[in-house]
Amino acid sequence: MIIIVISVLVLLLICSYMFYHHQCVLRDRAQMMKDAIRFHDFNFKLPTRGLLFGERALQEVLNDMGGNIQKLEAHNEVESWQRLTRVLTHEIMNATAPIQSISQAYLNTPEIKQSPYEEGIRAIYDTSSGLSLFVDSYRKLTQLQEPAPTNINLLQFAHKISTLYPTLEWLIDIAPEVELRIDENLFRQVFINLIKNAVEAEAKKIQIKWNGKLLISNDGHIIPEDAAREIFIPFFTTKSNGSGIGLSLSRQILLKQGLMLSLAERAQTSYNVTFVIENDV
């Protein structure tokens, strides 16, 4: 009888410990997700092994929700930058256009030509003209052409892109029957932006892979973690001569066609950087 009582007590202690340990695990998971949201890191994918079926289903939903929040945030970010860019370009052009016009008029007058004032006025004209060209080049961020989607064969498309960069080593892993409905010209612009960035990062190998989503990988320089969070922000660049609009523009092009461009948390094996193109759902 005593042995039975002791056995029951031991069993209760074990069950209590397991329950307590399980609750601690759930508490730690909740804290990790809370920290992820606080730091705007919605790439969290917590494992479901060891959870009860109800907890597993809840964790899977939370994992998917993180990705959906990230996509929603990307939408809002794009819309905010478009509005800001539209306002800034309008205001800057309003300020520079009269300066450019007046300085040009002065340069065309006989009194200014060959006078001590000509060099200074020309500097004003050149600066205002340069600023106008600079601003005008960014209007494309808010004036994207409407896409005209067609069904394109993804394998053939990737091979066409590879011929533009014959010095790179290409690995294209796409089934011959895979098609994507998209504006081919705009999609080509996105691809060229990604490959151009890879080349500037001293990449030698490019991998294009389809597994339900499109993975574009390269072996160029690793993107630092702090920069990885900013690369889709317009005008952000880590290059001394970069414009900072390539990736932002690429994301906008794809969002207009129901697709999402993002940087993979982990690159494909043997590569340092992987971009992902997938349905924006």
Side-chain angles (χ1 to χ4, degrees):
M1 185 67 180
I2 296 176
I3 295 176
I4 295 175
V5 172
I6 293 174
S7 298
V8 171
L9 289 174
V10 170
L11 183 60
L12 287 173
L13 286 172
I14 293 174
C15 290
S16 298
Y17 171 77
M18 292 178 63
F19 176 78
Y20 175 77
H21 177 72
H22 188 67
Q23 294 304 306
C24 289
V25 170
L26 295 179
R27 180 197 60 197
D28 293 342
R29 285 171 173 267
Q31 184 61 46
M32 282 189 286
M33 285 186 287
K34 182 179 178 181
D35 290 341
I37 293 172
R38 184 174 62 178
F39 294 112
H40 292 269
D41 179 10
F42 301 109
N43 289 316
F44 61 82
K45 294 286 183 182
L46 298 182
T48 58
R49 186 177 59 187
L51 298 179
L52 300 177
F53 67 92
E55 295 166 345
R56 186 183 305 115
L58 178 60
Q59 185 63 65
E60 289 172 351
V61 169
L62 290 172
N63 286 344
D64 292 339
M65 188 182 297
N68 292 334
I69 292 174
Q70 186 181 28
K71 291 176 182 179
L72 181 61
E73 198 175 51
H75 270 286
N76 292 335
E77 187 177 86
V78 165
E79 291 174 1
S80 297
W81 279 109
Q82 283 182 329
R83 289 194 295 269
L84 178 60
T85 303
R86 191 179 298 116
V87 171
L88 288 177
T89 54
H90 177 75
E91 293 301 323
I92 294 174
M93 290 298 287
N94 282 348
T96 58
I99 297 173
Q100 184 180 355
S101 177
I102 293 171
S103 57
Q104 184 179 33
Y106 272 113
L107 287 172
N108 291 331
T109 59
E111 292 83 359
I112 296 298
K113 289 181 179 180
Q114 306 301 322
S115 76
Y117 303 106
E118 183 179 14
E119 185 177 353
I121 294 175
R122 186 168 299 280
I124 294 172
Y125 174 76
D126 290 343
T127 301
S128 59
S129 298
L131 184 57
S132 296
L133 290 173
F134 173 82
V135 171
D136 192 57
S137 69
Y138 288 125
R139 280 183 168 172
K140 66 178 75 174
L141 287 171
T142 58
Q143 297 177 350
L144 292 177
Q145 69 183 73
E146 284 301 316
T150 59
N151 291 332
I152 66 170
N153 183 282
L154 207 49
L155 179 61
Q156 294 177 6
F157 176 85
H159 278 300
K160 288 179 183 177
I161 296 294
S162 68
T163 61
L164 300 176
Y165 298 89
T167 59
L168 295 174
E169 179 184 338
W170 289 81
L171 175 60
I172 301 176
D173 183 12
I174 303 174
E177 69 276 6
V178 176
E179 289 190 342
L180 194 64
R181 186 163 182 79
I182 197 167
D183 186 305
E184 185 171 359
N185 290 328
L186 291 175
F187 197 41
R188 185 182 299 108
Q189 184 176 351
V190 171
F191 249 82
I192 289 176
N193 278 336
L194 294 176
I195 304 306
K196 178 174 173 288
N197 284 347
V199 171
E200 291 175 349
E202 301 184 357
K204 299 295 185 293
K205 296 191 301 180
I206 302 290
Q207 181 195 64
I208 311 295
K209 183 178 180 179
W210 174 264
N211 63 354
K213 59 184 72 172
L214 193 58
L215 307 175
I216 303 110
S217 305
N218 69 76
D219 65 341
H221 300 314
I222 296 174
I223 299 177
E225 185 177 346
D226 56 340
R229 292 192 290 267
E230 313 289 342
I231 58 174
F232 292 106
I233 295 178
F235 318 131
F236 175 84
T237 181
T238 58
K239 296 174 286 189
S240 58
N241 60 344
S243 64
I245 65 170
L247 288 176
S248 175
L249 182 61
S250 296
R251 173 175 272 185
Q252 290 185 48
I253 288 172
L254 293 178
L255 283 174
K256 286 177 72 71
Q257 302 182 76
L259 296 171
M260 178 66 179
L261 173 65
S262 58
L263 179 67
E265 187 177 0
R266 296 182 185 84
Q268 293 285 288
T269 304
S270 301
Y271 295 88
N272 293 330
V273 176
T274 296
F275 284 95
V276 182
I277 297 176
E278 58 187 323
N279 286 329
D280 180 35
V281 294

